[in-house]
Amino acid sequence: MFLITGCNGQLGKEIQKRLPDAIATDAGTLDITDFNAVQQFVSSNKIDTIINCAAYTAVDKAESDTELARQVNTVGPENLAKTGCKLVHISTDYVFDGTAHTPYKPTDATNPVSIYGKTKLAGEQAVLKHNNQAVIIRTAWLYSENGNNFVKTMLRLGKEKESLNVVYDQIGTPTYAADLADAIVKVLPKISQETCGVYHYTNEGVCSWYDFATAIMKLGERNCKVKPILSSEYPTAATRPFYSVLDKSKIKNTFNIDIPHWYDGLVRCIKKLEEEGTI
């Protein structure tokens, strides 16, 4: 039996579509920071595989809400790992400092520069310490039709404003949650002690937030002009990695996964939003 934690998030909702028989929980139905609650839930529901989509993702708020971020991003994954179930745990590009100039491999040295990144890295380390059948997938710039994300924000602001300032000196790759969910479903039957470890998944390609915003406006048929600015002109509580392109060779080769380009994912997402009449 599959358990999906964080079921109301962007990725959790996509996983549920693909695993309709899975048990899906949120913080209200299963507190992953409570070890006894996790053990009892897993045992009573005969869970053998967990897909952990639960996370504290308010990057700036985490700088002051440190303990809650630690509980959800570090303690929670450790508790899930200790159940002995096979585990897919979702992590982040924020475990890196963003000073590289070539795509980060899963084996590259980590150096998080934010509380969010530090608590996520500690969660990874706890998972690998306590579970030898765990697949950790780092991703970045996640968006979908659901929840709050950059794509939906840009589409909304594109209607309201004539122009927008967007940073152009942060480089990475947008990830369509539906594509990541497809990859996870391919990974699930192949989880073993041999495949245990850290992997990277984003869509293919590279762009800046400015490039991404420009593409969103074009595909969403918004007349809003996007203006490039430096990160220093848009200060935030948490430091963002300037470069967070992830090398996906390992996940492609190990699990035989084909990855769509980020622009292709964006086209499909905006088409769905249009079909739903939500933009």
Side-chain angles (χ1 to χ4, degrees):
M1 177 62 74
F2 292 111
L3 167 63
I4 304 165
T5 57
C7 70
N8 290 325
Q10 298 185 82
L11 183 59
K13 287 186 175 180
E14 290 298 328
I15 298 286
Q16 283 183 81
K17 291 178 189 174
R18 289 152 180 79
L19 300 174
D21 296 328
I23 295 173
T25 62
D26 60 11
T29 50
L30 176 62
D31 179 3
I32 64 169
T33 69
D34 182 337
F35 179 66
N36 291 330
V38 169
Q39 284 281 54
Q40 187 176 353
F41 191 93
V42 165
S43 177
S44 60
N45 289 284
K46 296 182 171 58
I47 304 297
D48 55 48
T49 306
I50 301 170
I51 303 106
N52 182 33
C53 304
Y56 184 106
T57 57
V59 175
D60 291 317
K61 198 176 173 188
E63 293 297 308
S64 55
D65 202 4
T66 309
E67 182 54 24
L68 183 56
R70 189 187 75 83
Q71 286 292 322
V72 178
N73 291 342
T74 305
V75 176
E78 179 175 10
N79 291 339
L80 296 171
K82 284 180 175 177
T83 62
C85 294
K86 291 180 179 180
L87 175 63
V88 173
H89 173 62
I90 307 303
S91 193
T92 175
D93 58 310
Y94 277 68
V95 300
F96 298 112
D97 59 18
T99 59
H101 301 287
T102 55
Y104 283 103
K105 294 181 172 67
T107 50
D108 285 342
T110 53
N111 184 33
V113 291
S114 64
I115 296 297
Y116 169 67
K118 289 172 182 175
T119 58
K120 290 295 287 183
L121 178 60
E124 287 186 13
Q125 293 165 340
V127 165
L128 292 175
K129 178 181 177 181
H130 295 288
N131 194 307
N132 64 359
Q133 293 191 93
V135 168
I136 294 169
I137 301 177
R138 294 175 182 149
T139 191
W141 297 24
L142 198 66
Y143 69 92
S144 74
E145 301 88 71
N146 305 304
N148 298 314
N149 57 66
F150 187 77
V151 172
K152 291 173 73 175
T153 299
M154 288 298 105
L155 288 169
R156 175 176 54 80
L157 293 175
K159 261 186 179 178
E160 299 169 0
K161 296 180 178 291
E162 290 184 2
S163 67
L164 272 178
N165 295 333
V166 180
V167 297
Y168 74 94
D169 57 351
Q170 292 176 29
I171 308 298
T173 312
T175 307
Y176 185 29
D179 291 338
L180 176 53
D182 286 339
I184 289 168
V185 169
K186 285 189 175 180
V187 165
L188 289 172
K190 298 179 182 177
I191 298 174
S192 66
Q193 291 183 25
E194 287 71 37
T195 58
C196 174
V198 179
Y199 296 81
H200 289 168
Y201 183 99
T202 62
N203 281 111
E204 295 284 21
V206 177
C207 67
S208 68
W209 286 109
Y210 164 76
D211 299 325
F212 192 26
T214 302
I216 293 164
M217 296 303 178
K218 178 187 172 186
L219 290 169
E221 297 181 343
R222 301 291 192 262
N223 292 320
C224 179
K225 181 174 174 56
V226 182
K227 299 177 181 178
I229 61 167
L230 293 165
S231 297
S232 57
E233 298 175 73
Y234 187 77
T236 54
T239 303
R240 266 72 172 165
F242 280 98
Y243 182 90
S244 62
V245 181
L246 302 179
D247 184 312
K248 298 167 284 288
S249 305
K250 184 181 176 184
I251 199 167
K252 288 193 280 192
N253 296 335
T254 304
F255 300 106
N256 192 29
I257 288 170
D258 292 321
I259 303 179
H261 192 273
W262 70 263
Y263 192 86
D264 172 57
L266 180 60
V267 168
R268 284 179 281 124
C269 179
I270 289 181
K271 186 180 178 186
K272 277 196 175 180
L273 287 166
E274 287 171 344
E275 287 169 356
E276 293 169 2
T278 52
I279 63 169

